[in-house]
Amino acid sequence: MDEVFKALADSSRRSLLDRLHARNGQTLNELCEGLAMTRQAVTKHLAILEEANLITTIRHGREKLHYLNPVPIHQIGERWIRKFERSKLAALNELKRQLENGDE
Amino acid sequence: MDEVFKALADSSRRSLLDRLHARNGQTLNELCEGLAMTRQAVTKHLAILEEANLITTIRHGREKLHYLNPVPIHQIGERWIRKFERSKLAALNELKRQLENGDE
DNA sequence: TTGACATGCAACCATTTAGTTGCCTATTAT
DNA sequence: ATAATAGGCAACTAAATGGTTGCATGTCAA
């Protein structure tokens, strides 16, 4: 779980996921196109995403195809985001109450 | 948005959010209890959370109270998590298809 | 079979990050 | 008034991070 959050913490990596979301199964070179960094830097980002299980790769001859794995993102939604959303209104109400009470 | 992801990327910070989720409005010292780091380290983490707008603080005499702000987490859920969830089944199906097709 | 193409590996560098220590300031209680 | 309490500030350190360059390997096409 920590690996997933860490992987998502970088905007380059999030944009790689976005690109795969737009078109799944791209090669390394395709994913490099238009990015302001070297292929090796992209390779490292993809390795981190793969380590976090956010993408899966398949070698296809001399090409490496990258596929999104949406499961970890879904898990974060389930185990983390929704947990906080559930109490969203309650939290806002308490904050409002505190503010209205002024300084005791 | 980047700040929020970066803030959430650290497990110490996520556990601070968890603590506030369990009981909102805790002081700095309360949030330090039982953690294996100095008060100053916690202060820095809280500053990062506040910078990302994930918490709000109110000075109350010599105490500083910390409150969860669930809005950014909700936004991540809306703008990011759900976006990927929507195409979850589609992605899995495509991956399955690719794998079944074998090489080419 | 040889050259071009797609990717991998490793060493290196600069910056950021997470944490520390030491000291200072403000508020409360006796 | 003064001591204890709650927190703030700043300098420093070690390790992680994001990036680079140079070279090696494997695969495909002419």
Side-chain angles (χ1 to χ4, degrees):
Chain A
M1 188 99 301
D2 195 52
E3 277 180 326
V4 180
F5 273 107
K6 284 222 156 57
L8 291 176
D10 185 275
S11 69
S12 301
R13 288 194 287 271
R14 288 199 303 279
S15 100
L16 285 170
L17 292 180
D18 272 333
R19 280 162 155 244
L20 287 178
H21 185 251
R23 186 163 69 81
N24 214 3
Q26 295 187 62
T27 67
L28 171 58
N29 268 333
E30 285 171 335
L31 288 170
C32 287
E33 278 167 22
L35 292 188
M37 63 181 123
T38 60
R39 175 176 53 83
Q40 285 78 357
V42 177
T43 299
K44 285 193 183 179
H45 283 304
L46 290 171
I48 290 170
L49 290 171
E50 190 167 10
E51 193 70 21
N53 205 29
L54 281 160
I55 63 174
T56 307
T57 61
I58 302 178
R59 278 308 283 259
H60 188 281
R62 63 181 161 180
E63 294 182 331
K64 190 177 192 181
L65 306 179
H66 298 76
Y67 293 91
L68 256 180
N69 175 18
V71 175
I73 287 186
H74 181 251
Q75 287 175 340
I76 283 189
E78 279 304 311
R79 301 187 192 165
W80 234 81
I81 310 287
R82 268 181 251 303
K83 170 183 171 185
F84 280 82
E85 283 178 356
R86 254 175 254 127
S87 52
K88 187 190 172 188
L89 290 179
L92 281 176
N93 282 336
E94 184 178 352
L95 180 55
K96 184 159 167 257
R97 187 179 57 74
Q98 293 270 354
L99 289 170
E100 284 173 351
N101 275 1
D103 278 353
E104 185 84 80
Chain B
M1 188 100 297
D2 197 52
E3 277 180 325
V4 180
F5 274 107
K6 284 223 158 58
L8 291 176
D10 185 276
S11 69
S12 301
R13 288 194 286 270
R14 289 199 303 280
S15 99
L16 284 170
L17 292 180
D18 271 333
R19 280 161 155 244
L20 287 178
H21 184 252
R23 188 162 68 82
N24 213 5
Q26 296 188 61
T27 66
L28 171 57
N29 268 332
E30 284 171 335
L31 288 171
C32 286
E33 279 165 22
L35 291 188
M37 62 182 124
T38 60
R39 175 175 53 84
Q40 285 79 354
V42 176
T43 300
K44 285 193 183 181
H45 283 304
L46 290 170
I48 289 171
L49 290 172
E50 190 167 11
E51 193 70 22
N53 206 27
L54 282 160
I55 63 174
T56 307
T57 60
I58 301 177
R59 278 309 282 258
H60 189 279
R62 64 180 163 182
E63 294 183 330
K64 190 177 191 181
L65 305 179
H66 298 76
Y67 294 91
L68 256 179
N69 177 18
V71 175
I73 287 186
H74 182 250
Q75 286 176 340
I76 283 190
E78 279 303 311
R79 302 186 192 165
W80 236 82
I81 310 288
R82 267 182 251 303
K83 170 183 172 185
F84 280 82
E85 283 179 355
R86 253 176 255 128
S87 52
K88 187 189 172 188
L89 289 178
L92 281 176
N93 282 335
E94 185 179 351
L95 180 55
K96 185 159 166 257
R97 187 179 58 74
Q98 292 271 354
L99 288 171
E100 284 172 351
N101 274 2
D103 279 352
E104 183 87 81

